[in-house]
Structure formats: structure tokens, C-alpha cells
Amino acid sequence: MKTIYFAGGCFWGMEAFIKKLPGVKETAVGYANGTKANPTYEEVCSHTTGHAETVRVVYDPSQITLEMLLKAFFKVVDPTELNRQGGDVGEQYRNGIYYTDEEDRKTIEAAIRAVREKYDQPVVTECRKLVCFYDAEEYHQDYLDKNPTGYCHINLLDAEEFIEEEMGERTRC
């Protein structure tokens, strides 16, 4: 198994989207790359901790590659938006990809370069080594499973479309 961390706005939608992908074995939402140990949601939202709402993704590389995960990430993130995604605004909603395996850095940087070619505006997606990750409170974990009508800036039907188009698997009848 391998692990990668995605920050793409509100972590509820990113988690719900990513965990639909074949080969993703486990997800958890939390706070990454800030300055305060074990922050609360309220502290992160106060803009004093520097953390980004982030999803830890554990995946089986024999079933889904990092390249495919990055392609999925960029399907639902606007990489030109600084400190916002959808209606969510603030540094905790920045978009970034955080790695623990130095080997992954080159793959991430190549994906970001490829995305830059598609936009006239600067791409602001972070590519950084993971410094820290703290699990969010339990009520945030699998939030949209527990609250199917909850807020989400990501169209979750994009996951089925992505799987069908990019991975050649049908997920709908």
C-alpha cells in the first residue's frame, strides 16, 4: 500500500470523491502542514494554524497508480484558485498534494506541469512533503456517507464518469 495526501477545498467532498475510485483502500480527513499540533476544526477555521483541510489516501498501486489519482484530483479541483475551492474561502481550502515518499515528488511535479498547459492563469497547487497530518474530529470522517444531503462543492457523479472514461470500468447500470 502507498499513501498520498490531497488538499482540495472542503475535505468532505474530496474524501467522498476519492474513496469511490477502485484501488483506494482507506481515507481519512484531517489537517495538514500547519503549525499547531492537534488543531480543532474551529482553530483551523480561525486562520491561525496554517493547516489545509486534507484527505489521507491509502491506495493499492497495483490497482490504481499515483498518476491516475492525480488525474482524478485535477478533475475536481480548480488549480488556479488560491485559498479557495467552490464557495469555500480561506487558506485551509488551498489545493495541494502532500507526499511522504520522495519518489512521488517527480510524478506530482510532472502532473502539475501538464495541468499548467491547460490554463492561462497561474497554477497554484502546492507540491510539498507532508510535515504533519492530524485526523479531524470523528464527525468529519465519512461525512457525506453519514449526511448524504450535506454540503459538497464537488459533483460526486464526476467519480463515476472518471472511472468509466479513464479506467474503463462501468459503475452505473
Side-chain angles (χ1 to χ4, degrees):
M1 295 297 152
K2 293 199 65 170
T3 304
I4 195 73
Y5 296 79
F6 290 131
C10 174
F11 48 28
W12 297 341
M14 182 59 67
E15 180 186 40
F17 174 78
I18 289 291
K19 74 183 199 177
K20 289 178 178 274
L21 302 177
V24 171
K25 300 302 181 186
E26 179 184 320
T27 60
V29 298
Y31 314 114
N33 285 4
T35 58
K36 183 176 188 327
N38 294 304
T40 65
Y41 180 70
E42 290 74 22
E43 289 170 326
V44 171
C45 290
S46 74
H47 309 288
T48 60
T49 69
H51 286 282
E53 289 192 17
T54 303
V55 180
R56 179 178 58 228
V57 180
V58 178
Y59 66 99
D60 181 343
S62 71
Q63 294 180 330
I64 190 166
T65 63
L66 178 56
E67 291 86 353
M68 192 62 69
L69 284 168
L70 293 166
K71 201 170 194 179
F73 173 79
F74 284 116
K75 180 173 181 64
V76 295
V77 169
D78 181 343
T80 67
E81 289 285 351
L82 182 63
N83 296 333
R84 80 173 294 149
Q85 288 295 306
D88 300 311
V89 179
E91 74 175 330
Q92 77 268 30
Y93 299 118
R94 66 187 181 268
N95 69 88
I97 305 156
Y98 309 124
Y99 57 90
T100 55
D101 182 344
E102 186 64 33
E103 293 288 314
D104 291 341
R105 182 177 57 81
K106 290 179 185 172
T107 303
I108 297 163
E109 289 174 345
I112 291 171
R113 277 193 305 277
V115 166
R116 279 188 186 122
E117 295 176 13
K118 299 176 183 178
Y119 291 90
D120 293 330
Q121 304 114 315
V123 169
V124 296
T125 304
E126 296 180 328
C127 171
R128 297 207 170 127
K129 186 167 185 69
L130 183 75
V131 176
C132 59
F133 178 85
Y134 301 99
D135 284 350
E137 296 82 351
E138 181 55 37
Y139 73 93
H140 288 296
Q141 305 301 329
D142 303 307
Y143 183 84
L144 290 175
D145 290 342
K146 299 174 203 171
N147 303 280
T149 59
Y151 168 76
C152 184
H153 71 285
I154 293 174
N155 179 351
L156 296 178
L157 293 177
D158 285 346
E160 285 87 16
E161 181 181 289
F162 179 83
I163 293 165
E164 198 171 311
E165 289 176 0
E166 299 293 335
M167 303 179 83
E169 296 182 28
R170 291 192 54 101
T171 58
R172 291 178 262 173
C173 295

